Amino acid sequence: MKKCLKLLWIILKVLIAVTGILFVVYFWNLDQKVLGWAYVQVNRIFDRKKQDIKF
């Protein structure tokens, strides 16, 4: 019984931490900022690439 309660307490702490992290990401709109940064990085990579178009 003691092990079961300890496991439940660990699961509860993890869920609270995940909920807190998701709230911070949502509140500060960090997902859009990270995607904006990633979009710029991907464009830098593919803008360096030579064109593969053959006519």
Side-chain angles (χ1 to χ4, degrees), residues 1-33:
M1 185 70 177
K2 202 171 194 180
K3 287 183 181 182
C4 183
L5 288 176
K6 188 175 181 178
L7 179 65
L8 286 174
W9 179 243
I10 291 171
I11 291 171
L12 181 65
K13 287 195 300 188
V14 168
L15 288 175
I16 289 171
V18 168
T19 303
I21 290 168
L22 288 175
F23 177 76
V24 168
V25 166
Y26 173 75
F27 186 73
W28 281 320
N29 203 17
L30 295 176
D31 55 337
Q32 293 297 319
K33 291 177 184 176

Side-chain angles (χ1 to χ4, degrees), residues 38-50:
Y39 186 73
V40 169
Q41 301 308 316
V42 168
N43 279 336
R44 282 187 190 161
I45 292 168
F46 286 105
D47 286 345
R48 289 190 301 217
K49 191 175 164 184
K50 292 183 178 180

Side-chain angles (χ1 to χ4, degrees), residues 49-55:
K49 191 175 164 184
K50 292 183 178 180
Q51 294 289 333
D52 294 336
I53 301 172
K54 294 180 183 178
F55 291 102

